[in-house]
Amino acid sequence: ETGVTQSPTHLIKTRGQQVTLRCSSQSGHNTVSWYQQALGQGPQFIFQYYREEENGRGNFPPRFSGLQFPNYSSELNVNALELDDSALYLCASSFQAGNTIYFGEGSWLTVV
Amino acid sequence: AQKVTQAQTEISVVEKEDVTLDCVYETRDTTYYLFWYKQPPSGELVFLIRRNSFDEQNEISGRYSWNFQKSTSSFNFTITASQVVDSAVYFCALSEGEFGNEKLTFGTGTRLTIIP
């Protein structure tokens, strides 16, 4: 039990639609990161938020966007969904001071 | 650029055997952190260990042990007396920077199957 919860756990969307994934961080963790994990691959870094500001971004197009709220919960939004967006989306939280990074169970997104 | 290589795609061993998972990393930073995570079929990444670049001491936690060698840029993970519950995909990851919670670069993972 990591204290990081994600919703929804599974969802199916149609190509071209938009999706919002949510993450509730472990209490006191002010840093949240999102990762995309395609089938059979390692997780790929999408972006990180620290105290509500974007603090680094991976090689993902602008249609991937995010938010972090004052309570440090977070959202990942993906617009204009493509078939290749089908993946497990993982949220990770940590307290920025060299502590451990904890992951949630992820949201399985299928785009048809 | 940072990179993590896990050359072993799949490993199968019989229960109670020892098994070592290899991890080789590349980084230009002198300060960095290395991680191992376990991913069962449910998908959650379970934290196993975090080690900074200045601490080369090997670590043992129960049946798990880690061998960090900066000279060969390796951070290998050994499970002693393996059990069926150890079956999972294991990921090695690298984070550059002083805090160790910045972007994680993952390897492609090693799928470990323990045969009863």
Side-chain angles (χ1 to χ4, degrees):
Chain A
E1 195 64 44
T2 66
V4 181
T5 56
Q6 294 186 240
S7 63
T9 54
H10 294 81
L11 70 166
I12 300 174
K13 289 286 188 177
T14 303
R15 189 171 51 183
Q17 284 188 316
Q18 178 264 345
V19 67
T20 297
L21 307 178
R22 295 179 174 83
C23 173
S24 175
S25 306
Q26 188 175 115
S27 178
H29 283 190
N30 54 20
T31 302
V32 65
S33 302
W34 285 90
Y35 291 80
Q36 180 196 66
Q37 185 178 14
L39 204 60
Q41 302 294 318
Q44 299 289 316
F45 176 76
I46 303 175
F47 44 58
Q48 181 182 83
Y49 280 82
Y50 170 63
R51 292 185 176 177
E52 304 177 58
E53 298 283 333
E54 189 177 288
N55 184 41
R57 188 179 182 92
N59 189 25
F60 281 82
R63 59 188 185 84
F64 285 78
S65 63
L67 280 174
Q68 187 183 30
F69 300 100
N71 66 354
Y72 301 137
S73 65
S74 174
E75 285 183 356
L76 164 65
N77 298 290
V78 187
N79 294 322
L81 284 167
E82 301 176 359
L83 297 179
D84 285 349
D85 295 333
S86 296
L88 174 66
Y89 289 85
L90 293 160
C91 170
S93 79
S94 62
F95 181 71
Q96 191 185 40
N99 288 329
T100 301
I101 304 170
Y102 293 100
F103 284 82
E105 292 194 3
S107 294
W108 294 89
L109 171 65
T110 301
V111 182
V112 298
Chain B
Q2 52 189 3
K3 182 180 179 181
V4 175
T5 300
Q6 294 180 256
Q8 305 152 308
T9 306
E10 295 192 28
I11 300 176
S12 294
V13 299
V14 176
E15 193 173 20
K16 298 184 183 177
E17 288 186 349
D18 299 347
V19 58
T20 295
L21 309 182
D22 297 335
C23 173
V24 174
Y25 63 92
E26 296 177 28
T27 177
R28 295 176 184 167
D29 277 17
T30 56
T31 303
Y32 54 88
Y33 291 78
L34 295 163
F35 301 76
W36 276 95
Y37 285 88
K38 173 182 179 180
Q39 188 174 46
S42 62
E44 180 178 0
L45 284 169
V46 178
F47 168 80
L48 296 177
I49 190 171
R50 171 180 170 272
R51 174 55 52 85
N52 74 53
S53 52
F54 300 107
D55 182 3
E56 287 192 72
Q57 279 196 339
N58 291 329
E59 182 159 338
I60 298 174
S61 176
R63 297 184 297 107
Y64 296 170
S65 62
W66 290 270
N67 183 351
F68 178 26
Q69 292 196 341
K70 287 178 75 170
S71 60
T72 56
S73 297
S74 64
F75 187 45
N76 296 336
F77 172 33
T78 297
I79 301 175
T80 303
S82 60
Q83 300 176 2
V84 172
V85 294
D86 296 327
S87 296
V89 180
Y90 290 85
F91 289 97
C92 180
L94 166 70
S95 176
E96 295 175 335
E98 63 180 316
F99 294 118
N101 68 340
E102 287 88 4
K103 164 190 172 182
L104 282 175
T105 296
F106 285 84
T108 50
T110 297
R111 180 176 299 278
L112 176 63
T113 301
I114 308 299
I115 303 166

